[in-house]
Amino acid sequence: MLLPPKVAAGVAAGSVTLAFRRWQRPDVRPGSRFRTPAGVVEVTSVDVVDPGTLTDADAHAAGLPDAAALLRLLDPQSVAQRRRTGRYRRTPVADAAAADTTAADTTAADRTAADVTGWPVYRVGLAWAGPDPRVALRDDADLTDADVAAIDARLDRLDRASSHGPWTAATLDVIRRRPHVRAPDLAAELGRERDPFKLDVRKLKALGLTQSFDVGYALSPRGETYVARTLRP
């Protein structure tokens, strides 16, 4: 489940306690936890609701100004549009070429919206569960010899488990040399596809070795110390 940064911050502050989604089936269940820009959020409840009964109070609890704004968010056409563009967090390109929508494109879009119309609306209870543990980990650069050896072992296991061969050292190196560079460019330098490359970077991030930015990545303080001290090739 994705939350916009402003909404995630509201959950952390306690001002946002609900989210509403039109889903084919629930993406989360009570007790689920997920990371957001503001820390870890826990799902406290998941219920099907009639959108016609939603009130301004519901909207306020979801960080929206009123029920009309909430209903616009849940409109099937709006949901279908986000599903077409949101996977990669893109917005439509507003140029002449993009504006030249064909009849086939329009039909496909309408069909998607029609499919979404039958999906139920879910009210999801949210609560802040604490800071993202990866933040504290990536800032911890006071590594002992045992810490370095443990990271070496974790990276060796990732390399051995990989279907495309060892990758951890090369990925750390390209991020060190080219911070804040687009993921497709980094992947191309390594002769890899973007999406598998990004999945691998997430594994390094889970170990506290890298951090993500609006554009590209950088080694974390922990990652910088590790790279300076490891004897792995």
Side-chain angles (χ1 to χ4, degrees):
M1 183 173 179
L2 295 177
L3 294 181
K6 183 177 180 180
V7 173
V11 176
S15 60
V16 172
T17 57
L18 294 176
F20 293 86
R21 296 290 188 272
R22 190 180 287 274
W23 286 328
Q24 189 172 14
R25 61 184 63 85
D27 279 5
V28 295
R29 59 186 177 184
S32 299
R33 291 188 173 193
F34 56 95
R35 297 185 183 99
T36 75
V40 178
V41 171
E42 181 173 348
V43 175
T44 58
S45 62
V46 180
D47 302 294
V48 176
V49 296
D50 179 354
T53 65
L54 298 179
T55 65
D56 287 347
D58 292 318
H60 296 160
L64 295 168
D66 51 38
L70 177 56
L71 291 174
R72 286 195 297 272
L73 186 72
L74 297 171
D75 177 75
Q77 188 69 48
S78 176
V79 174
Q81 176 72 6
R82 290 197 302 277
R83 286 179 62 82
R84 291 195 300 275
T85 62
R87 181 177 179 184
Y88 300 112
R89 299 185 183 181
R90 296 173 180 165
T91 54
V93 179
D95 59 18
D100 186 18
T101 306
T102 65
D105 292 334
T106 302
T107 300
D110 290 344
R111 184 165 57 246
T112 302
D115 293 340
V116 171
T117 299
W119 294 1
V121 170
Y122 291 89
R123 178 180 58 215
V124 182
L126 302 173
W128 193 65
D132 187 338
R134 296 177 303 179
V135 174
L137 182 62
R138 76 190 186 201
D139 289 338
D140 181 6
D142 187 16
L143 300 182
T144 65
D145 290 344
D147 291 331
V148 173
I151 296 171
D152 284 343
R154 292 288 299 274
L155 297 182
D156 285 342
R157 286 198 295 272
L158 288 174
D159 283 343
R160 288 195 300 270
S162 171
S163 62
H164 52 80
W167 59 271
T168 58
T171 303
L172 286 170
D173 181 63
V174 76
I175 291 173
R176 177 189 63 80
R177 291 185 290 102
R178 305 183 68 189
H180 304 282
V181 172
R182 296 172 60 250
D185 297 332
L186 299 180
E189 178 175 330
L190 299 179
R192 301 192 57 193
E193 296 294 325
R194 182 199 64 180
D195 288 351
F197 171 80
K198 291 179 70 173
L199 287 174
D200 281 345
V201 173
R202 288 178 193 168
K203 297 171 187 175
L204 299 177
K205 185 176 181 180
L207 296 177
L209 300 178
T210 65
Q211 49 193 329
S212 302
F213 296 91
D214 289 341
V215 177
Y217 314 97
L219 295 184
S220 66
R222 185 180 186 84
E224 290 174 353
T225 299
Y226 169 73
V227 167
R229 292 182 54 186
T230 182
L231 299 178
R232 291 179 79 238

